[in-house]
Amino acid sequence: MSSETATMTVANAPSHRASRLDRFLMQGGIVITFLVVAVVATALIEPRFLNRLNLLNVMRNFALLLIPSLAQMLVMTAGGFDLSVGAVVAATSVVTAAVMLVGNGYFPGMELAVIIASLVIALGVGALVGLVNAGLVSAFSLSPFMVTLAMMSVLMGIALYFTQGIPIYGVTDSFVANVGRGQFLGLPIVLWAALGVLAACIVMQRFTALGRHIYAVGSDQRSARLSGVATGRTLIAAYMLAGLLAALTGYLMTSRLGSGQSTIGGTLALETIAAAVIGGVSLRGGVGRAELVALAALFLSVIANAMNLVQVDSRYQTLVLGAVLIIALAIERLLLRKRQS
Amino acid sequence: MLEVTGFTKRFRGIAALDNVDFSLNEGEVHALLGENGAGKSTLINLIAGTFPWAEGVYRINGRTITSLTPQVAQEIGIAAVFQEFSLVPDLTVVENIFLGREQSSGLFLKRKQMRQAAAELLDSLGFHLPLDEKVAFLSRAQKQMVEIAKALRMRPKVLILDEPTASLTDGEAEKLFNAIALLKARGVGIIYVSHRMSEIRNLSDRVTVLRGGKKIGTVVTAEISDEGLIEMMVGRPVEQLFPKIDHKPGAVRLEVRDLTTEKHSVISASFTARAGEVVGLAGLVGCGRSELCRAVFGLETVEAGTITLGDKPVERPTPTSMLAANVCYFPADRGSEGLALARPARENATMSSLDLPELSSGPLLKFWRENEAIRAPLGNLALRPMAPERKASAFSGGNQQKLMLARGLMKPFDVYLFDEPTVGIDVGAKADVYNLIKSLVEAGASVVVSTSELPELINLASRVYVMHEGKVVAELAQHELSEAQVLSHYFGGRA
Amino acid sequence: MSMEAKTQPMAQLSGLSPRDVLRAARLPIAIVVVLILFGLVEPRVLSLGNFRNIALQASYLAIFAMAQTMVLLTRGFDLSLGYTVSLVSVAASMAMVAMGGGDASILYGVGAAALIAGAIGLANGVLIAGIGINPLVTTLGMANMVLAFASTISGGFPVTGLPKSLTAEFAQGSLLSIPMPIWIAALVFVLLFLVLKATRFGRSLYIIGANPRAAVAAGIRTVPVLVLAYVLCALLAALGALLLTARTGSGEPNLGGNLTLEAIAAAVVGGVRLARGEGGVGAAVLGALFVTVLSNGMNLVQIDGYLQQICLGVIIIVSLIVNRDEARR
């Protein structure tokens, strides 16, 4: 008798439970559909897409979008936003090149040490930025959007002030050859790096307490705190990890470009938010999975490549990116409207 | 085991809790009784470490505690289940039960063990829940069960239950009572907050009654009558609190037929409200009575059914069109849906009446007339202090409620929908609200009151509809109204 | 009861306490202090000519800050404001050039500006209020689309050949020896002040900002109000764009790059409380004045432009922290 009442409650509340459509959408139905359509359409319209060299190129671009997109995802699932991700990439690119320039001057012949030192210093800068962002957001409960917008301005200012907008050359050659252009098992090193980061994110999200706490803080900060989650520390972890990933992106981009540039990363905030949102990361926090963000980043990379192949003006590519972002969100909103309470 | 003496807490200089003593023994259920605003929730929040106390001594197991956070409280064995849940909607049942207390080996979570432990815990309580469903998709009753399980996961020595049955059906409540008996036998002390006399009588060993932040007394439950408890709680004879309303049911003002909301929170509900009468909507929290009011006012999407005002059917209700059709709705949660707290009192009083010719012509606002227009409504409601330029957030709960109610006096409405009109306001303000209802009804309006306070229904309403799981399960006339009668329909089964 | 009580601020006296006065005067005092500090380093800062210069520069920024305020009041954002300025500048210039570049062509330029800005504002408003997409992401996406248009239709080059009278009248012209842009900014200020104070639309903006759900329950039609707010924001941005175009004398695709940030900074510094429905155009104007005084001073003491960008970011954060205290409940 008593067990019947309980099960009855469940059966009587079908509207509370996810419908099949909801499930499909939540488990990445949109992304997978988008990706398949984009790949097939591109391959049909432009067979050169399947060319090995082109695919390698797609992979490299994908890798360099995936890493900062995962950074964005971490912050967004924790209920924030990171508009400073592009600025961190630019700043750490400058830092990487500067360290190499200086390091190679003082310690000629110690290339490997300099390459590693520049990575460590770049990562340190990224982590510091994340710490400051998180500190301001959690200690003063400021809007993450405003904080990272201001941080973006600060970082861009610093990067531009030190370089005056001029690229820093003098990046170690072997760094460019082995990291930027290097391959392992036929795939670019940067792709391996990105896949490593992706795997780490997946494990972190699913199998660690930190991952769970990030979701909890993003979903409902008050409840998380009352449940004993150290919300401040969780936010710091999320923003610092994001900073580290953005810094890694800056480092790897430097290896591809062969110089430190203060002007890269301009549209990265948009691109990473687009990848995260298309990958199903909720703008309200608490929802988002790394593997789907990866699919979304791949989708965006394929589209960008397709536009390059059919020689669309690069300026129109931002237009398409903006449109794709808005359309994806509109579709999500319209399909899931009923779920919103 | 647990003892607090001289507990005092002030908010904005006003004592929410004034020199209260409270003790709890091992294996005891100690009920806490009092009206809304009596200080019950302040007391349990202080005991659970949600916020610090101003004065008083806190002792547990002979140890004196000087300060407390929720985390520390949990560690020393105090667990609380508040009415406001502390569940994270995007995590699953299992994940919520272990949130903040995850079991890991090294860096990695012991996911299997935790799932197993959660299943055993729920099983021992007799709660059947989908373990891997996100909490967002659970019903309120299911969330309540998760919340209770989560509190018990810590094996607490003191368990605080704040109106735990407010949204449970009687079968579910029965399981909870069994679990309470089990915990009691294990020596757990339980602080039990409830409105329901029958629960207090059946479960508790002692009762402490609070009123206006002060302790009225602690009594052994078996030694006092229900009437005695109510007397302690209200502090004055019931008749004095509730005005005598002269019901003169006239023409049907509002008729709802077979209304079903899109979210199925209301299923095929029908009711009528006549001019000159108060119609009550009763039922558990989450039974659909709030949603029914909201749907009539256009705040919930209607899937099927008809709403008729007088003899005019309403096609697609929106708040704007319903206000224009002289229907006024007062939301249950004035903070989240009723008031613009950061704006002045004046703007809050007029915000739903900006289209009145006294206040605007076309798009232009006659802001210089505004103060004149609100003088009478705010005066009638005895707003204290009478400071229309003060921010709404700077008023007390009762006066905030009056600011919201003032909207209903800006012009005469035909139908008033009150959703929980006296939540979180003091006895004086309550009497003011009841008198307002009286004057509205006697002036010929039709008033619908949805409330979880049974005395309100019994003393104010001329008819009461009882709802259960979205459906109207009973209609009771005034002579049938008694606490026992209404409650007997709360769980649907015996209707 | 007790939980609610906790969220309420300290009881205030109904009159103004000295603290309130100090709080209200905080920004004007800060402006004077900054002026004096720069004046100590570089006396030219305190010259009458420079004051006039500051007022002139601030009037442009004030228009953009007031535009941004319209949507900030509703808990929204417009990140597309800056690039809207770019696109309007280019498109209006092209329209004027296409219509012969005579005095009469100015009207076509204004028409094109209004049309384009209206469309952008409408699109933002419909996506945000109608469909319910997050304003931040909507306007971020819109910003990039608008930027793409601005840079492609112009080919990335300035549009020249504008009517001489445009610059002569609307940038260099003056009335009662006060420059035209100041008059226009003042007019916009007065109009918006009245709109916020004395129209149902203005009142609705505040109520929506303070509590969107309460606004709905009070029968306010939030969708049209929000759409109008975004349209108004874009139209004001277009007005500012025309004035800036008059000043440079050509349609510039790069005109608005930093404006989004500056406009938000000015509004936030002024105290337009994000997501709280507080503040007004007065706050935006004061904020614009503060930001201008600061950048003017830094220019005169020859601080690098990039360092100024750093300062802008720091100022935003500092003012967020400072304004937070009084917002605390």
Side-chain angles (χ1 to χ4, degrees):
Chain A
M1 162 64 208
S2 52
S3 75
E4 268 171 35
T5 1
T7 31
M8 222 174 66
T9 331
V10 179
N12 272 349
S15 57
H16 291 293
R17 309 195 66 200
S19 72
R20 198 177 290 170
L21 176 67
D22 285 356
R23 296 264 177 205
F24 176 70
L25 295 176
M26 277 188 295
Q27 282 161 11
I30 292 182
V31 201
I32 294 168
T33 316
F34 276 16
L35 181 58
V36 170
V37 170
V39 169
V40 171
T42 312
L44 287 177
I45 295 165
E46 186 52 83
R48 273 184 299 160
F49 173 71
L50 297 174
N51 192 317
R52 191 186 120 80
L53 279 178
N54 184 58
L55 284 179
L56 277 179
N57 193 26
V58 173
M59 287 300 147
R60 280 199 196 93
N61 291 333
F62 162 62
L64 292 177
L65 177 58
L66 175 58
I67 302 174
S69 298
L70 292 172
Q72 189 68 257
M73 174 204 70
L74 285 173
V75 174
M76 282 174 73
T77 48
F81 263 110
D82 193 353
L83 293 182
S84 65
V85 69
V88 175
V89 170
T92 49
S93 171
V94 168
V95 167
T96 303
V99 171
M100 286 185 180
L101 185 65
V102 174
N104 289 334
Y106 279 99
F107 308 104
M110 295 178 67
E111 278 187 3
L112 188 63
V114 169
I115 289 173
I116 291 170
S118 63
L119 175 64
V120 170
I121 292 172
L123 290 179
V125 169
L128 181 68
V129 172
L131 182 65
V132 173
N133 278 337
L136 290 168
V137 167
S138 73
F140 298 105
S141 49
L142 303 182
S143 140
F145 162 75
M146 289 303 301
V147 167
T148 55
L149 185 71
M151 181 58 79
M152 178 183 86
S153 181
V154 170
L155 285 176
M156 291 302 289
I158 292 174
L160 287 166
Y161 177 69
F162 283 109
T163 62
Q164 293 295 313
I166 302 161
I168 298 182
Y169 295 102
V171 170
T172 317
D173 290 336
S174 61
F175 175 57
V176 176
N178 292 322
V179 178
R181 303 202 180 120
Q183 291 188 2
F184 177 68
L185 297 179
L187 292 174
I189 295 281
V190 286
L191 181 64
W192 286 111
L195 292 178
V197 170
L198 173 63
C201 280
I202 293 174
V203 169
M204 195 272 288
Q205 284 187 324
R206 298 207 160 178
F207 301 107
T208 70
L210 174 63
R212 226 168 243 192
H213 291 176
I214 289 178
Y215 284 126
V217 169
S219 181
D220 186 338
Q221 194 163 348
R222 190 194 70 94
S223 291
R225 190 174 49 246
L226 289 179
S227 304
V229 174
T231 50
R233 252 185 286 164
T234 307
L235 279 176
I236 288 174
Y239 279 90
M240 280 183 78
L241 283 174
L244 284 174
L245 294 187
L248 179 63
T249 312
Y251 182 78
L252 292 176
M253 277 202 181
T254 312
S255 79
R256 284 216 62 200
L257 297 167
S259 61
Q261 301 196 2
S262 56
T263 51
I264 54 174
T267 57
L268 212 51
L270 174 77
E271 288 175 62
T272 56
I273 291 176
V277 164
I278 295 170
V281 178
S282 164
L283 292 168
R284 297 170 188 183
V287 178
R289 279 157 53 189
E291 59 272 32
L292 298 182
V293 172
L295 291 177
L298 186 57
F299 162 71
L300 291 177
S301 311
V302 168
I303 292 199
N305 182 258
M307 287 192 289
N308 278 334
L309 289 176
V310 298
Q311 293 178 331
V312 174
D313 185 328
S314 69
R315 286 173 299 214
Y316 279 118
Q317 295 188 15
T318 15
L319 190 148
V320 172
L321 188 63
V324 164
L325 173 61
I326 290 177
I327 291 168
L329 273 171
I331 290 176
E332 189 206 4
R333 278 299 298 191
L334 293 173
L335 285 177
L336 298 186
R337 203 165 220 188
K338 288 182 186 175
R339 262 186 57 208
Q340 307 297 338
S341 49
Chain B
M1 172 171 59
L2 177 126
E3 189 182 18
V4 301
T5 43
F7 250 32
T8 299
K9 175 74 187 174
R10 292 183 198 88
F11 295 108
R12 292 172 296 127
I14 300 161
L17 204 63
D18 187 5
N19 195 21
V20 168
D21 302 340
F22 182 85
S23 67
L24 182 70
N25 301 325
E26 252 175 57
E28 179 195 35
V29 176
H30 193 151
L32 211 48
L33 190 63
E35 300 204 285
N36 281 323
K40 289 172 302 183
S41 68
T42 308
L43 179 59
I44 56 178
N45 272 297
L46 293 181
I47 292 175
T50 315
F51 33 75
W53 56 92
E55 289 158 31
V57 182
Y58 190 136
R59 240 181 258 119
I60 184 160
N61 290 333
R63 240 175 77 202
T64 302
I65 290 165
T66 49
S67 71
L68 202 58
T69 64
Q71 282 75 29
V72 175
Q74 284 173 22
E75 274 152 28
I76 61 177
I78 298 169
V81 177
F82 293 110
Q83 277 179 281
E84 218 179 324
F85 297 149
S86 63
L87 301 176
V88 172
D90 288 311
L91 295 183
T92 67
V93 171
V94 176
E95 288 167 349
N96 263 291
I97 288 177
F98 284 94
L99 183 61
R101 293 277 181 275
E102 286 83 359
Q103 303 172 353
S104 314
S105 60
L107 208 53
F108 298 105
L109 295 169
K110 294 181 182 168
R111 302 210 302 170
K112 271 198 193 121
Q113 285 93 321
M114 284 195 281
R115 196 172 183 286
Q116 181 69 29
E120 280 164 14
L121 178 61
L122 289 170
D123 232 30
S124 72
L125 293 168
F127 295 161
H128 297 266
L129 294 169
L131 289 177
D132 301 308
E133 184 69 279
K134 279 191 180 184
V135 162
F137 298 123
L138 299 184
S139 70
R140 199 183 148 83
Q142 290 175 314
K143 285 180 191 162
Q144 177 80 68
M145 293 189 249
V146 178
E147 188 75 40
I148 291 167
K150 186 176 154 189
L152 292 177
R153 165 206 66 184
M154 302 284 300
R155 299 198 166 272
K157 294 199 269 301
V158 174
L159 178 65
I160 301 169
L161 295 170
D162 186 6
E163 304 250 3
T165 54
S167 57
L168 297 185
T169 65
D170 60 348
E172 292 155 356
E174 202 59 46
K175 286 180 202 157
L176 175 65
F177 299 153
N178 291 338
I180 288 174
L182 207 78
L183 293 169
K184 222 179 129 165
R186 267 196 237 151
V188 176
I190 293 166
I191 303 174
Y192 192 92
V193 181
S194 178
H195 275 100
R196 294 194 194 150
M197 283 302 161
S198 59
E199 284 178 11
I200 288 181
R201 193 146 294 287
N202 291 335
L203 289 173
S204 70
D205 303 301
R206 287 191 296 164
V207 186
T208 289
V209 181
L210 296 177
R211 190 198 323 140
K214 293 197 172 66
K215 174 167 158 176
I216 303 303
T218 300
V219 290
V220 175
T221 316
E223 292 170 5
I224 189 164
S225 66
D226 284 5
E227 289 72 26
L229 280 176
I230 292 175
E231 182 91 37
M232 285 173 80
M233 182 166 86
V234 181
R236 53 174 153 176
V238 179
E239 303 82 62
Q240 230 172 314
L241 182 60
F242 294 100
K244 182 89 192 75
I245 295 181
D246 191 12
H247 296 280
K248 290 197 185 102
V252 173
R253 284 282 171 77
L254 169 67
E255 176 159 19
V256 175
R257 280 276 149 259
D258 300 324
L259 186 129
T260 300
T261 57
E262 193 181 58
K263 289 181 198 149
H264 289 248
S265 48
V266 178
I267 301 161
S268 197
S270 304
F271 77 97
T272 52
R274 295 172 182 275
E277 69 165 351
V278 177
V279 173
L281 295 178
L284 295 165
V285 172
C287 70
R289 55 184 161 78
S290 288
E291 290 79 1
L292 181 55
C293 293
R294 298 171 59 80
V296 169
F297 194 64
L299 286 167
E300 296 273 329
T301 316
V302 175
E303 190 176 276
T306 56
I307 300 167
T308 316
L309 289 174
D311 48 8
K312 287 194 210 87
V314 178
E315 274 310 317
R316 288 178 48 148
T318 65
T320 319
S321 69
M322 293 310 273
L323 282 166
N326 285 330
V327 177
C328 185
Y329 164 76
F330 301 113
D333 188 342
R334 58 178 175 268
S336 77
E337 203 170 25
L339 296 170
L341 287 171
R343 305 302 302 167
R346 167 178 50 83
E347 293 183 13
N348 277 286
T350 58
M351 67 196 251
S352 63
S353 322
L354 295 177
D355 55 342
L356 293 182
E358 296 94 287
L359 288 175
S360 66
S361 68
L364 296 180
L365 215 54
K366 297 175 183 166
F367 59 90
W368 59 93
R369 288 250 191 104
E370 223 174 340
N371 272 316
E372 199 184 305
I374 58 173
R375 192 171 303 144
L378 293 182
N380 282 346
L381 288 162
L383 179 74
R384 276 181 303 263
M386 185 59 84
E389 294 309 314
R390 205 195 244 210
K391 282 183 184 179
S393 56
F395 288 85
S396 71
N399 284 292
Q400 288 184 356
Q401 190 75 354
K402 289 177 187 173
L403 281 180
M404 189 168 79
L405 297 176
R407 284 180 214 163
L409 300 180
M410 295 299 292
K411 69 168 185 180
F413 287 90
D414 294 337
V415 178
Y416 290 89
L417 304 165
F418 286 84
D419 196 358
E420 303 284 3
T422 56
V423 165
I425 66 179
D426 60 41
V427 179
K430 273 186 184 176
D432 290 343
V433 172
Y434 300 143
N435 280 316
L436 170 72
I437 291 176
K438 173 184 162 78
S439 64
L440 293 173
V441 169
E442 289 178 355
S446 171
V447 172
V448 179
V449 178
S450 154
T451 176
S452 44
E453 304 261 327
L454 283 175
E456 283 178 4
L457 293 173
I458 290 161
N459 289 290
L460 297 175
S462 71
R463 285 181 300 127
V464 168
Y465 294 89
V466 187
M467 293 188 67
H468 174 67
E469 291 187 351
K471 300 188 182 91
V472 174
V473 291
E475 180 185 346
L476 304 171
Q478 193 165 23
H479 66 270
E480 297 174 288
L481 288 176
S482 69
E483 188 158 332
Q485 260 294 336
V486 178
L487 273 176
S488 73
H489 295 283
Y490 261 40
F491 311 119
R494 278 165 263 155
Chain C
M1 169 70 204
S2 49
M3 290 300 286
E4 272 159 43
K6 202 180 111 200
T7 64
Q8 290 162 2
M10 301 291 287
Q12 297 167 344
L13 298 168
S14 42
L16 282 176
S17 70
R19 252 181 80 204
D20 291 334
V21 175
L22 196 68
R23 193 181 279 166
R26 197 164 59 197
L27 198 51
I29 292 172
I31 291 172
V32 173
V33 169
V34 170
L35 270 177
I36 292 173
L37 286 179
F38 278 118
L40 293 177
V41 182
E42 172 57 71
R44 272 188 304 157
V45 171
L46 295 175
S47 69
L48 210 58
N50 190 49
F51 286 163
R52 185 188 151 105
N53 205 3
I54 288 173
L56 186 60
Q57 284 175 15
S59 58
Y60 294 101
L61 183 56
I63 291 176
F64 298 119
M66 287 188 278
Q68 191 66 261
T69 298
M70 291 296 114
V71 295
L72 286 177
L73 281 180
T74 68
R75 304 191 171 196
F77 278 107
D78 189 357
L79 294 182
S80 62
L81 184 140
Y83 295 133
T84 302
V85 170
S86 299
L87 178 60
V88 165
S89 173
V90 171
S93 302
M94 288 169 73
M96 287 186 258
V97 173
M99 296 315 290
D103 287 356
S105 71
I106 293 178
L107 280 180
Y108 289 94
V110 172
L115 219 60
I116 288 168
I120 294 171
L122 191 66
N124 278 334
V126 167
L127 288 165
I128 291 164
I131 301 184
I133 313 179
N134 178 305
L136 234 156
V137 182
T138 304
T139 56
L140 182 66
M142 188 61 70
N144 283 270
M145 295 167 68
V146 172
L147 170 66
F149 277 119
S151 54
T152 47
I153 62 169
S154 65
F157 300 107
V159 181
T160 50
L162 298 186
K164 294 273 179 295
S165 59
L166 184 70
T167 305
E169 291 292 332
F170 294 103
Q172 289 157 359
S174 61
L175 187 66
L176 302 174
S177 76
I178 292 175
M180 209 47 129
I182 299 181
W183 280 112
I184 294 175
L187 185 69
V188 169
F189 168 72
V190 171
L191 283 178
L192 288 182
F193 184 82
L194 289 176
V195 163
L196 290 180
K197 170 98 179 153
T199 68
R200 289 168 63 184
F201 166 72
R203 178 66 60 84
S204 304
L205 285 184
Y206 279 115
I207 305 267
I208 292 173
N211 189 342
R213 290 183 62 203
V216 172
I220 292 171
R221 290 192 181 90
T222 53
V223 174
V225 170
L226 285 171
V227 171
L228 190 55
Y230 281 93
V231 169
L232 194 57
C233 172
L235 287 177
L236 289 169
L239 174 67
L242 288 173
L243 291 177
L244 280 180
T245 307
R247 189 171 75 172
T248 52
S250 57
E252 295 284 344
N254 301 322
L255 200 55
N258 262 333
L259 273 178
T260 306
L261 191 69
E262 285 175 27
I264 291 180
V268 171
V269 169
V272 179
R273 200 73 39 68
L274 297 162
R276 220 162 252 150
E278 287 179 40
V281 283
V285 170
L286 275 181
L289 200 57
F290 180 80
V291 171
T292 309
V293 164
L294 209 63
S295 72
N296 170 275
M298 289 195 286
N299 279 334
L300 287 178
V301 300
Q302 295 179 334
I303 290 176
D304 186 287
Y306 295 131
L307 282 181
Q308 297 190 23
Q309 197 176 346
I310 301 174
C311 284
L312 198 62
V314 173
I315 287 164
I316 291 181
I317 289 177
V318 169
S319 56
L320 282 175
I321 295 174
V322 170
N323 285 339
R324 178 198 64 110
D325 271 339
E326 64 183 281
R328 209 173 203 182
R329 304 187 170 193

